[in-house]
Amino acid sequence: MATQIFMNAALIGVGATAFMDLIALAQKHVLSQQPLNYAMVGRWFGHMIRGKFVHRPISASRPIPFERVTGWSSHYLIGVLFALAFLALVGDGWLKAPSLLPALAFGALTVLAPFLVVQPGMGAGLFARNLPNPNVARLKSGFAHLSFGIGLWAAACCASAFS
């Protein structure tokens, strides 16, 4: 039973994160918006291991080996952990008949992670308040996490269609 829960979380989390990344890629090419540089996320995690949690800004901190791989891996691992938390909240019934609203609401809730943890840790401040255009950053984060929620639903729909 636990193995199945983790397998579902892995499948749905990777699918939702990939969906979020496809939306970011489309935004880059259609709207010329720069996506998040996951190498900086890797740099942030790499410095955490060394005891440094807050940077001003992360781009000025010393690069770490394999920061791009670390950042992308962390991004997908976090997506799986979010999916695991979501599945724990909604239960097995949702997997049998995925509905959009709970997944979208959960995706919206996950935006608190960048607002309260990632952005402050990387030097952007709470809710990106230290960035030159904090409202743009907030909207991009919100949209990214709503797309993650849609991705949770889409990945679950695909998984349920093949099970």
Side-chain angles (χ1 to χ4, degrees), residues 39-129:
M40 295 299 103
V41 175
R43 184 176 296 179
W44 183 53
F45 277 114
H47 281 282
M48 271 190 224
I49 294 167
R50 295 168 177 90
K52 185 170 182 174
F53 296 89
V54 179
H55 302 262
R56 307 244 191 272
I58 188 67
S59 59
S61 295
R62 186 178 44 79
I64 64 151
F66 309 106
E67 62 186 22
R68 185 172 312 280
V69 171
T70 302
W72 278 97
S73 300
S74 300
H75 172 56
Y76 275 82
L77 178 60
I78 290 165
V80 169
L81 293 174
F82 277 156
L84 184 61
F86 176 67
L87 293 175
L89 286 172
V90 297
D92 286 342
W94 184 85
L95 275 175
K96 292 179 178 90
S99 56
L100 179 59
L101 190 57
L104 197 57
F106 186 81
L109 181 67
T110 65
V111 80
L112 292 175
F115 285 166
L116 300 176
V117 179
V118 179
Q119 290 168 349
M122 293 177 76
L126 285 170
F127 293 88
R129 71 178 182 210

